[in-house]
Amino acid sequence: DTGVSQDPRHKITKRGQNVTFRCDPISEHNRLYWYRQTLGQGPEFLTYFQNEAQLEKSRLLSDRFSAERPKGSFSTLEIQRTEQGDSAMYLCASTRGSSYNEQFFGPGTRLTVL
Amino acid sequence: AQTVTQSQPEMSVQEAETVTLSCTYDTSENNYYLFWYKQPPSRQMILVIRQEAYKQQNATENRFSVNFQKAAKSFSLKISDSQLGDTAMYFCAFETGANSKLTFGKGITLSVRP
């Protein structure tokens, strides 16, 4: 068990560019979550997968955001036409299905949009 | 909608002393779960302690314990015998619903002084 990993750890991009982040959850975890954390705030829920199915998306997730988990293992989060307001830490977490289980977080991808 | 409020942005405590971090929440749900997560500087978020709302007994994990007051919708974290390694941001979080997404407070920065 190597924990949740995210790649890249840091991304600097210019406004208008597209970026893609990857999350590799703990292998036996069927649930995967994306959160966004801005400076001085707690993480905010973006979207959730159970296996390969995306079951919930936050209203924070505008049309420029898309997430996939094609084989129920790793997940990608893409942001198209980035804006300065997208600058944040993007966190991925995974857990076994059912409530009350600990969510295991990755180190995050810090996005800076210039 | 659920909300989590952490009104103290920062706290400081002397090593070996006890500190209490406050958290209140608002929900109309009857069945839910509460968590405290720790985010050390530049490191991944990890679970500190969790509490099931239907359990009256307060959860305890070594030096960490909670004071859960369901009627008051309060969920405070007590850290006993504070250690330098406890220096971190602490987030109170709430979970309900089939998707088990977490709703976080803004967090509190705890500094342990030597």
Side-chain angles (χ1 to χ4, degrees):
Chain A
D1 179 358
T2 57
V4 179
S5 61
Q6 293 186 245
D7 184 70
R9 296 289 304 276
H10 303 273
K11 179 71 177 178
I12 299 174
T13 191
K14 292 182 180 178
R15 190 177 55 180
Q17 298 294 305
N18 299 343
V19 294
T20 299
F21 310 142
R22 177 180 170 123
C23 170
D24 286 272
I26 293 172
S27 58
E28 64 268 27
H29 287 180
N30 61 337
R31 292 189 172 194
L32 186 148
Y33 301 81
W34 286 98
Y35 295 88
R36 182 171 67 188
Q37 184 178 16
T38 53
L39 202 61
Q41 302 293 319
E44 295 175 293
F45 169 78
L46 292 179
T47 190
Y48 153 69
F49 290 86
Q50 180 150 322
N51 300 312
E52 66 276 7
Q54 187 175 20
L55 297 185
E56 186 173 348
K57 291 194 292 186
S58 163
R59 278 177 279 183
L60 292 175
L61 218 63
S62 75
D63 291 345
R64 297 184 297 104
F65 288 71
S66 62
E68 293 183 341
R69 193 182 182 198
K71 296 182 180 178
S73 55
F74 73 92
S75 175
T76 58
L77 178 68
E78 181 183 16
I79 309 174
Q80 296 183 327
R81 303 181 304 281
T82 52
E83 301 173 355
Q84 287 186 325
D86 298 331
S87 295
M89 176 76 85
Y90 290 84
L91 296 170
C92 175
S94 71
T95 188
R96 287 192 181 92
S98 83
S99 300
Y100 195 53
N101 278 339
E102 175 182 359
Q103 290 190 18
F104 290 82
F105 283 81
T109 294
R110 181 168 296 285
L111 173 66
T112 302
V113 182
L114 302 176
Chain B
Q2 289 79 28
T3 58
V4 177
T5 302
Q6 294 180 254
S7 56
Q8 308 153 301
E10 294 181 15
M11 287 193 77
S12 179
V13 64
Q14 195 75 33
E15 194 175 7
E17 293 188 346
T18 295
V19 63
T20 298
L21 311 183
S22 302
C23 172
T24 58
Y25 59 93
D26 190 21
T27 183
S28 57
E29 301 284 339
N30 204 35
N31 191 25
Y32 52 89
Y33 309 97
L34 295 161
F35 302 81
W36 278 97
Y37 277 86
K38 169 185 177 181
Q39 190 175 39
S42 303
R43 297 187 64 184
Q44 321 188 192
M45 196 170 311
I46 56 174
L47 178 68
V48 175
I49 197 166
R50 53 187 162 179
Q51 173 83 38
E52 295 169 274
Y54 65 86
K55 284 190 176 178
Q56 292 188 340
Q57 186 173 6
N58 289 326
T60 299
E61 288 285 344
N62 301 314
R63 298 183 296 108
F64 300 89
S65 61
V66 299
N67 182 4
F68 174 47
Q69 303 288 329
K70 190 171 184 178
K73 295 180 180 174
S74 169
F75 183 61
S76 60
L77 174 70
K78 186 171 85 171
I79 306 175
S80 303
D81 186 28
S82 297
Q83 300 176 0
L84 296 178
D86 295 333
T87 292
M89 278 205 77
Y90 287 81
F91 293 96
C92 178
F94 176 100
E95 178 202 311
T96 190
N99 289 343
S100 300
K101 64 185 180 187
L102 294 172
T103 300
F104 287 88
K106 286 187 175 182
I108 177 170
T109 301
L110 176 67
S111 300
V112 180
R113 306 186 304 273

